[in-house]
Amino acid sequence: MEKRQQWDSRMIFIFAAIGSAAGLGNAWRFPYMAASNGGGAFLIPYFIALITAGIPLLILEFGIGHKFQAGAPTAFSKVKKGWEGLGWWSIGVSFVIVTYYAVIMAWVFDYLWYSLSLAWGDAPADFFLNNVLKLSEGPGHLGGFSIPVLIGLILAWLAVYWTIRDGVKSVGKVVKWTVPLPIIMLGILVIRGLTLPGAIDGINYYLNPDFSKLLDPKVWASAYGQVFFSLSVAFGVMIAYASYLPKKSDITNNAFITAFANCGISFMAGFAVFGTMGYMAAEKGASVAEVAGTGGIGLAFWVYPEAIRLLPFGSVVFALVFYIMLLTLGIDSFFSLVEGVVAGVSDKWGFGKKKTTIGVILVGFVISLIYATKGGLHWLDIVDRYVNNYGIIGVALFETIAIGWIYKSRKLREYVNPISEVHLGGWYDVLIKFIAPLALAGILVWNIVQEIIDVTQGNAYGGYPVWAIAVGGWLVAIVLIVGSIILGKSKSSYVMEEASEEVE
């Protein structure tokens, strides 16, 4: 078995963790989440969710990764015999996300090229859906590959291989650039956006507080959901990254730095997005709400390109800045998810890291081809919704149960405190044993209830046929759980150096 690699410095680890946490959702999900859930008032439940659940879970994952010096499956097998499957569940969720995240990165690569000529012209939405994706009429019609997407997909996977080919050594060299660069790009976009006519209207739309929203349970559920989705917890990534830390590395302070840096990037992105949306509204003589869209893919590939087209000068430059920002934000999350899978597989069977990396990338590439077809966007939408709403939340819930109740959060505190600047007290036990699992269970129940209501009313998600929801949503979820149980019970090909640590 290879000697475990280590990060070159604490700074590189923090950069890698921030890079994993801060992804595309920071730019296209958080600003819209805030704007539609009370504006500035949304920051209250958001920061409460961050302190009571997000950071405690991040500390949990940093702690067990560092203590057991292993990826998620092996780490949980050492937490308690029989719990290895939880680690494989998180790895499975990561791998599914990797397969479609690759295609989103492919679109970004394509748009770097299109930015040189502003190829989307006067109809960005039509260009993206019909010229780039050549979108079919539904998930039942794959219709062959979109060549631009296929080319971008190959570039995306090659970029990931080049980044993680030598493990944390090559990752460390890359994150020195890919973490600060999107922040610089965001800064440029913020300054440009705020200096445009109408920008203040956009910022008001983003942050104008509506405190009445704080009485809506859905707003609180959205805040907790956003925190869980944006910190890269429950993916196995942070466990793997922490396992490469030297023996006496800080845990808690690293978690606080990672979490607050991630939040800062999200908050900053809102000014870049809505400052520009305010200008776009002024140019079109419309309200911000009418031009802003709903975030997500639409923001990145037709709303913002439309705003860039309307700029009085420098459109090509700002198009390149925007897509370089998206590329550098997204690529860190992309390769961190792959690294989490590689760490889990390598630890379990003792395979060499380079061979494991090549194997995971090849399998991921083959599966990702379905999303490069003309029907790919439909499948991406379905799989993304169900993996996020049920997979991530389910893993996080069981993590809090495993550490809070079975392993005992007290034992984690006793391990973390001697090596950390910020010491955990009994309050941490309350958060991990009660607050975080209750919040996660509440979100999970809420999602299930809403799903049942929608199905009984004939409102299947996205208007997709029931069979597509069953295959891309529920079948994927079931395969992940069953596969995780099977892998958790399978034997390693080598004898573990340390026995599993049992509950006292």
Side-chain angles (χ1 to χ4, degrees):
M1 185 179 176
E2 293 179 354
K3 182 180 178 182
R4 196 163 198 84
Q5 295 179 327
Q6 289 189 346
W7 298 106
D8 288 337
S9 68
R10 178 182 181 182
M11 182 193 74
I12 295 299
F13 165 72
I14 291 173
F15 269 24
I18 292 171
S20 177
L24 296 174
N26 294 65
W28 71 33
R29 193 172 192 269
F30 175 83
Y32 284 84
M33 186 72 69
S36 60
N37 286 283
F42 179 73
L43 297 178
I44 295 173
Y46 179 77
F47 278 107
I48 289 174
L50 183 70
I51 298 298
T52 59
I55 292 175
L57 269 164
L58 198 53
I59 292 172
L60 181 158
E61 295 201 346
F62 280 178
I64 64 172
H66 183 261
K67 178 177 175 61
F68 299 118
Q69 292 288 288
T74 302
F76 279 108
S77 74
K78 294 182 177 185
V79 163
K80 175 68 176 179
K81 185 177 180 180
W83 278 76
E84 182 182 328
L86 176 58
W88 285 115
W89 191 10
S90 69
I91 293 296
V93 167
S94 286
F95 187 69
V96 169
I97 292 173
V98 157
T99 61
Y100 65 76
Y101 207 96
V103 176
I104 298 175
M105 296 311 301
W107 302 339
V108 176
F109 272 109
D110 288 342
Y111 268 69
L112 279 171
W113 173 256
Y114 297 142
S115 294
L116 295 173
S117 61
L118 301 182
W120 48 83
D122 296 336
D126 180 69
F127 177 79
F128 176 66
L129 296 173
N130 296 321
N131 290 53
V132 179
L133 302 190
K134 297 178 171 54
L135 189 64
S136 71
E137 59 192 68
H141 300 82
L142 296 181
F145 294 112
S146 164
I147 300 303
V149 176
L150 188 60
I151 293 170
L153 186 63
I154 293 169
L155 291 175
W157 281 111
L158 286 175
V160 166
Y161 173 73
W162 180 80
T163 303
I164 67 173
R165 67 194 186 284
D166 295 322
V168 297
K169 298 298 180 184
S170 53
V171 168
K173 293 175 183 177
V174 171
V175 296
K176 287 179 183 178
W177 298 95
T178 55
V179 172
L181 190 58
I183 298 173
I184 294 169
M185 297 293 103
L186 262 179
I188 293 171
L189 293 172
V190 168
I191 293 169
R192 183 60 183 133
L194 293 181
T195 56
L196 291 168
I200 296 302
D201 292 334
I203 301 305
N204 284 337
Y205 180 80
Y206 171 41
L207 289 179
N208 188 39
D210 179 1
F211 292 102
S212 67
K213 291 279 191 178
L214 298 182
L215 301 176
D216 186 351
K218 189 164 70 172
V219 170
W220 288 84
S222 296
Y224 275 89
Q226 175 63 23
V227 165
F228 292 131
F229 297 146
S230 70
L231 283 181
S232 284
V233 292
F235 295 129
V237 173
M238 295 306 190
I239 296 174
Y241 272 6
S243 75
Y244 303 126
L245 281 169
K247 193 172 183 180
K248 293 189 177 180
S249 299
D250 184 283
I251 299 299
T252 56
N253 207 27
N254 286 347
F256 278 101
I257 292 170
T258 300
F260 285 120
N262 174 67
C263 292
I265 292 170
S266 295
F267 189 62
M268 186 178 178
F271 288 94
V273 169
F274 282 104
T276 307
M277 291 303 103
Y279 166 73
M280 185 175 171
E283 285 293 297
K284 287 177 167 278
S287 69
V288 177
E290 288 175 317
V291 303
T294 57
I297 291 169
L299 168 71
F301 298 106
W302 62 79
V303 175
Y304 213 88
E306 171 70 6
I308 289 171
R309 184 185 68 83
L310 294 172
L311 291 175
F313 64 88
S315 295
V316 170
V317 172
F318 287 105
L320 287 170
V321 168
F322 179 69
Y323 287 107
I324 290 171
M325 183 268 292
L326 287 187
L327 178 68
T328 48
L329 267 182
I331 201 72
D332 289 340
S333 297
F334 183 21
F335 68 65
S336 72
L337 291 168
V338 177
E339 176 58 32
V341 177
V342 169
V345 173
S346 180
D347 290 343
K348 171 75 173 182
W349 287 288
F351 300 147
K353 286 294 291 291
K354 185 157 284 190
K355 289 182 179 179
T356 307
T357 299
I358 293 172
V360 169
I361 287 176
L362 286 176
V363 175
F365 171 72
V366 170
I367 296 175
S368 68
L369 288 173
I370 189 172
Y371 303 109
T373 63
K374 295 171 185 176
L377 179 60
H378 303 300
W379 287 107
L380 188 155
D381 188 26
I382 295 168
V383 175
D384 178 64
R385 172 185 166 84
Y386 286 86
V387 168
N388 277 281
N389 281 8
Y390 301 102
I392 296 172
I393 298 298
V395 170
L397 174 59
F398 278 94
E399 281 189 3
T400 60
I401 293 170
I403 300 303
W405 292 96
I406 297 174
Y407 179 74
K408 305 297 184 188
S409 51
R410 169 185 55 81
K411 292 173 65 178
L412 184 65
R413 286 194 291 115
E414 290 171 352
Y415 173 77
V416 165
N417 282 344
I419 58 175
S420 297
E421 296 175 22
V422 179
H423 287 188
L424 306 176
W427 53 269
Y428 183 76
D429 298 342
V430 174
L431 295 178
I432 285 296
K433 293 174 74 171
F434 300 104
I435 304 299
L438 283 173
L440 287 160
I443 295 171
L444 199 58
V445 170
W446 175 275
N447 289 338
I448 292 171
V449 169
Q450 290 299 119
E451 191 78 29
I452 293 171
I453 291 172
D454 289 342
V455 170
T456 54
Q457 292 179 348
N459 299 322
Y461 171 67
Y464 295 115
V466 174
W467 69 265
I469 298 287
V471 172
W474 297 114
L475 181 60
V476 169
I478 292 168
V479 168
L480 282 176
I481 294 172
V482 173
S484 300
I485 293 171
I486 293 171
L487 285 171
K489 293 182 179 298
S490 65
K491 300 294 183 183
S492 301
S493 62
Y494 65 96
V495 178
M496 298 296 297
E497 297 176 1
E498 299 178 38
S500 295
E501 181 172 340
E502 299 290 345
V503 177
E504 296 174 352

